[in-house]
Amino acid sequence: MKLHTSPTTPFGRKVSILIRETGLTAEVDEVVAAGTPLDSSGMPVAQNPLGKIPALERPDGPAIYDSRVICRYLDDRAGGRLYPAKPRLWDTLTLEATGDGMIDAAILMVYESRLRPDAIRFEPWVEGQWAKVARALDTLEARWIAHLNGPLDMGQVAIGCALSYLDFRHDGRGWRSGRPALAKWYEGFAARNSMKATEPKG
Ligand SMILES: N[C@@H](CCC(=O)N[C@@H](CS)C(=O)NCC(=O)O)C(=O)O
């Protein structure tokens, strides 16, 4: 299989971590793509018409995309290790959606500062994106620590990728402040081999 991804995408990193945690490394080649909403020329548009990564070429059908779909597919191939049975599944999926939403907001903030010319930037919109991230962080601290400390699942992986991305691109926001339990959980999670092997570069 061929995974179109990049060394800095947190969505692609979710898949890369799942590959390592489930023992699928020999079955998936990771190939580098690059692009933004302003330039899709380096993106796998034949595999994903949305021009986004990750996208996965697989042997048993057309390419699939969106990290959540790819993670479910690969986890299924690996014997279903990172999506638990119901009812815990609903919590895992909600946690994964929370991590993905944090990443979406954090990436939109980066695009705003990198891609939009100064003259047409709108700061309240950027702060509105950060408010989403901050509310999610507070909710993780208040409600999700027990789940995060439970058996490894894709919810934890998504949150780990989101928090790492905040360190990578939004370090100045100080996400750990006022969230000691989440910061402690992340310290342990970031020490996993799969996290260390996929640290963002660039
Ligand atoms: N919901 C998608 C989001 C994927 C996504 O936004 N990927 C970013 C890279 S981190 C991208 O490809 N951006 C290029 C663009 O939006 O044109 C997923 O989970 O895979």
Side-chain angles (χ1 to χ4, degrees), residues 9-11 35-37 43 51-54 66-68 100 107 111:
T9 165
F11 289 115
T36 70
M43 292 300 233
K52 295 187 179 198
I53 49 175
D66 198 285
S67 61
R68 275 186 249 182
D100 286 4
I107 287 178
Y111 285 161

Side-chain angles (χ1 to χ4, degrees), residues 14-167:
K14 286 172 56 195
V15 183
S16 298
I17 290 171
L18 178 137
I19 287 169
R20 284 157 181 78
E21 293 285 354
T22 57
L24 289 177
T25 40
E27 290 185 43
V28 187
D29 282 336
E30 299 182 33
V31 298
V32 174
T36 70
L38 300 188
D39 180 7
S40 296
S41 58
M43 292 300 233
V45 289
Q47 288 77 16
N48 177 359
L50 303 174
K52 295 187 179 198
I53 49 175
L56 181 78
E57 294 181 43
R58 61 186 174 128
D60 51 350
I64 56 175
Y65 46 88
D66 198 285
S67 61
R68 275 186 249 182
V69 177
I70 298 171
C71 287
R72 283 301 283 262
Y73 171 81
L74 289 177
D75 189 63
D76 188 62
R77 280 185 78 105
R81 298 185 42 202
L82 296 191
Y83 290 94
K86 295 174 248 178
R88 187 176 168 88
L89 177 65
W90 309 126
D91 287 341
T92 297
L93 293 175
T94 301
L95 201 53
E96 184 174 11
T98 304
D100 286 4
M102 291 167 69
I103 297 169
D104 270 329
I107 287 178
L108 288 175
M109 292 168 71
V110 171
Y111 285 161
E112 183 75 11
S113 65
R114 288 196 177 172
L115 303 181
R116 194 182 294 279
D118 282 350
I120 53 172
R121 259 185 223 160
F122 186 51
E123 207 50 38
W125 188 89
V126 174
E127 291 311 309
Q129 297 302 327
W130 181 254
K132 292 176 191 293
V133 175
R135 281 194 302 268
L137 289 166
D138 288 340
T139 302
L140 293 171
E141 179 78 12
R143 288 218 323 253
W144 287 96
I145 299 300
H147 185 110
L148 287 169
N149 283 321
L152 180 69
D153 67 11
M154 258 333 274
Q156 296 168 16
V157 173
I159 297 299
C161 290
L163 297 177
S164 172
Y165 191 72
L166 297 184
D167 281 343

